[in-house]
Amino acid sequence: RGWLTTPKRGVGQDRKKTLTEHGVKLSDMMWIRKGGSVADKVQRIEAVSRKWSQIFGADEEHCARASQLCKNDLCTQMVYEFPELEGHVGMLLAGFDGEHPDVAAAIDEHRMPRFSADNVAPSAVGKVVAVADRWDTLTQCFALGLQPKGSGDPLGLRRAALGFVRTLVEANVSIDISELTKDLTNGAQLCDFIMARLRADAIESTPTDIVNAVFATGSTQPTDIVSRLDAMKELSKSDDYASLRSVFKRVMGLSKDHKGTKYASVFFIEQSELALAKRLESTLLQVQESNDHHGALVSLCALKPELEDFFSTVMVMCNEPTIQNNRLSLLKSIANAFFQIADFSLLSSET
């Protein structure tokens, strides 16, 4: 019966102090070796939360207050005895203390996702504190040279990176990881590490060749990448995907080593060349007006009839250098448009 009474006794003891009063001990609690105290970490989380609150559409003061309190329950008897209750105990005590409901909820939510199959934080304030906490963990650990080596990951940085990008995507927030990390100590390594976690997660639900094709574009914006992956997966379900893939792979393959994209109609010989160029111009306007990758991809795929006619009537690698260069530039323009979504040359030829 002893273990049944422990939680009740712990709650009773913990409620004798406010959550703010519990947090006084964080200054004496070491976070990680050479990483300062947990109180130091909380200050950094608050600074990042304030900075990012607007792009998440969250109240800045609520984000700041939730950040200030999010680690305080580490000093409670309940969390000391039941570590898995971290965040939840803080939420309960914050509620007892009369904190704003959004602040109390965010204290619990900042731990989400707690595991790979868990949901991300549902509220905007919770998302902000969750990403700020994980961002601090990642940047500080990489700056200290504590990045995972081999399969080991004692500090849970892979889980932190995945939770970070999943929350960005769920919130539909466009943040460029390369830009975020460019001025940090070991920033390039951190960027590669975060993108590798996103790639590993994508492979769980997306064909590998599509993942390779999208990541080959070099984008380091998680939300942008997931949008591209979704568009490509939708395309792969179409009945004529195999023929589309074949035609556009041919475009990219032929123009792979060509640099220029300037072509002139005066050098077109066949009617199919002129027809393709005209269709491309109207298609690029549609792509620019499209608000999503799926719409852009649908517009680009409409080039297929003109491309098939072009390939059936034109020898791209002809003996006349000026004509050949003009045709390659036309194809390169098409390839570059597709490369804004994926590198089709990397798509598998298997049906």
Side-chain angles (χ1 to χ4, degrees), residues 84-223:
E84 66 274 14
L85 295 180
E86 179 189 347
H88 188 68
V89 170
M91 176 191 68
L92 294 175
L93 292 178
F96 292 142
D97 294 342
E99 298 286 348
H100 192 282
D102 289 352
V103 171
I107 294 171
D108 187 28
E109 292 174 10
H110 95 282
R111 297 278 296 158
M112 300 172 70
R114 293 175 174 84
F115 48 89
S116 60
D118 195 15
N119 295 324
V120 304
S123 73
V125 177
K127 286 182 175 72
V128 171
V129 183
V131 296
D133 184 18
R134 287 161 175 80
W135 181 245
D136 178 74
T137 296
L138 291 165
T139 55
Q140 293 299 311
C141 286
F142 269 72
L144 293 169
L146 299 176
Q147 50 267 53
K149 295 177 175 62
S151 60
D153 188 14
L155 298 175
L157 299 188
R158 293 188 178 95
R159 184 173 66 251
L162 181 57
F164 177 74
V165 294
R166 281 189 58 202
T167 304
L168 292 181
V169 171
E170 184 76 18
N172 197 28
V173 169
S174 295
I175 288 181
D176 191 323
I177 305 301
S178 180
E179 284 295 312
L180 276 183
T181 58
K182 66 180 182 180
D183 297 324
L184 300 178
T185 302
N186 294 325
Q189 292 182 35
L190 177 55
C191 180
D192 290 344
F193 180 79
I194 292 174
M195 297 311 296
R197 299 320 306 157
L198 178 60
R199 186 182 187 283
D201 186 57
I203 287 177
E204 294 292 323
S205 59
T206 308
T208 302
D209 65 324
I210 291 180
V211 173
N212 290 339
V214 169
F215 275 78
T217 63
S219 174
T220 52
Q221 294 187 29
T223 302

Side-chain angles (χ1 to χ4, degrees), residues 268 270-280 303 306 309:
F268 291 145
E270 302 293 340
Q271 181 63 30
S272 61
E273 296 178 85
L274 183 60
L276 178 58
K278 287 184 176 180
R279 184 59 181 267
L280 175 61
L303 288 168
E306 283 78 9
D309 189 31

Side-chain angles (χ1 to χ4, degrees), residues 213-343:
V214 169
F215 275 78
T217 63
S219 174
T220 52
Q221 294 187 29
T223 302
D224 174 72
I225 285 178
V226 171
S227 176
R228 298 184 193 204
L229 290 169
D230 289 344
M232 289 297 296
K233 283 194 290 184
E234 190 66 26
L235 177 65
S236 70
K237 297 175 184 176
S238 65
D239 294 336
D240 58 346
Y241 175 61
S243 59
L244 283 167
R245 178 181 58 197
S246 177
V247 170
F248 298 129
K249 282 187 68 172
R250 187 175 180 185
V251 170
M252 288 190 160
L254 282 169
S255 62
K256 177 178 61 176
D257 298 322
H258 190 73
K259 304 301 181 184
T261 57
K262 292 184 178 180
Y263 54 87
S265 58
V266 68
F267 296 120
F268 291 145
I269 297 175
E270 302 293 340
Q271 181 63 30
S272 61
E273 296 178 85
L274 183 60
L276 178 58
K278 287 184 176 180
R279 184 59 181 267
L280 175 61
E281 291 173 6
S282 62
T283 296
L284 291 179
L285 288 175
Q286 293 174 354
V287 169
Q288 291 172 2
E289 294 171 357
S290 177
N291 295 322
D292 64 280
H293 288 109
H294 176 69
L297 195 54
V298 168
S299 296
L300 288 169
C301 286
L303 288 168
K304 179 174 173 279
E306 283 78 9
L307 274 168
E308 289 178 328
D309 189 31
F310 175 85
F311 284 132
S312 67
T313 60
V314 168
M315 179 179 291
V316 177
M317 307 305 289
C318 64
N319 293 327
E320 172 54 51
T322 301
I323 303 300
Q324 180 190 115
N325 184 73
N326 202 54
R327 290 169 176 171
L328 286 172
S329 294
L330 175 58
L331 293 179
K332 189 66 173 182
S333 298
I334 298 171
N336 285 352
F338 273 95
F339 197 76
Q340 298 303 308
I341 299 174
D343 183 349

Side-chain angles (χ1 to χ4, degrees), residues 2-8 10-11 14 73-74 76-89:
W3 69 274
L4 288 172
T5 59
T6 298
K8 184 180 293 186
V11 170
D14 290 335
D73 65 355
L74 291 173
T76 64
Q77 183 69 24
M78 279 294 291
V79 173
Y80 176 78
E81 295 187 24
F82 303 96
E84 66 274 14
L85 295 180
E86 179 189 347
H88 188 68
V89 170

